[in-house]
Amino acid sequence: IVHSQALTPEFLVNFFGTLSVEDSLECLREMLQLNIRQNLQICVQVATKYHEQLTTTALIDLFESFKSFEGLFYFLGSIVNFSQEQEVHFKYIEAACKTGQMKEA
């Protein structure tokens, strides 16, 4: 998604709801690759809203592939209290440590 800054965050988040899982993950990957600083917040919002469909494992792998521990921290922080998955809790603590969020670890 080129020039994502020209679109409203609400539109982008809702747009991802119309895509297949594969297309959603590919668009997120492309957005992070093109401009991670500009697109990180919207990617975290999409990941948070659609994590059940996209799977937390795929989203964790996506953020880790860009070494975006900040994105991982904010994404997992929004779901950690509702998750029973050990990997979610472990990766959240790991991301908190790597981003200097020691109160969270």
Side-chain angles (χ1 to χ4, degrees):
I1 299 177
V2 181
H3 302 292
S4 59
Q5 73 279 4
L7 303 170
T8 65
E10 297 82 22
F11 173 81
L12 279 171
V13 170
N14 291 330
F15 173 72
F16 275 89
T18 66
L19 300 176
S20 69
V21 170
E22 296 80 18
D23 289 343
S24 292
L25 290 170
E26 186 58 35
C27 283
L28 287 171
R29 184 173 290 107
E30 191 68 21
M31 287 175 69
L32 292 172
Q33 187 172 357
L34 288 174
N35 191 338
I36 194 167
R37 283 288 148 220
Q38 179 179 323
N39 294 324
L40 185 61
Q41 184 177 4
I42 192 69
C43 289
V44 168
Q45 290 175 359
V46 169
T48 300
K49 183 167 183 175
Y50 300 111
H51 72 274
E52 291 177 358
Q53 296 90 335
L54 302 176
T55 74
T56 53
T57 302
L59 292 165
I60 288 169
D61 291 345
L62 175 70
F63 286 115
E64 285 184 334
S65 72
F66 288 93
K67 295 182 178 19
S68 178
F69 297 105
E70 182 182 350
L72 196 57
F73 173 75
Y74 289 116
F75 162 57
L76 294 176
S78 66
I79 67 168
V80 72
N81 291 332
F82 308 104
S83 177
Q84 299 297 317
E85 294 180 54
Q86 289 181 353
E87 182 183 26
V88 169
H89 290 266
F90 173 75
K91 293 291 186 177
Y92 177 68
I93 293 168
E94 183 179 53
C97 291
K98 289 186 178 184
T99 57
Q101 303 288 334
M102 296 306 176
K103 287 189 275 184
E104 299 296 322

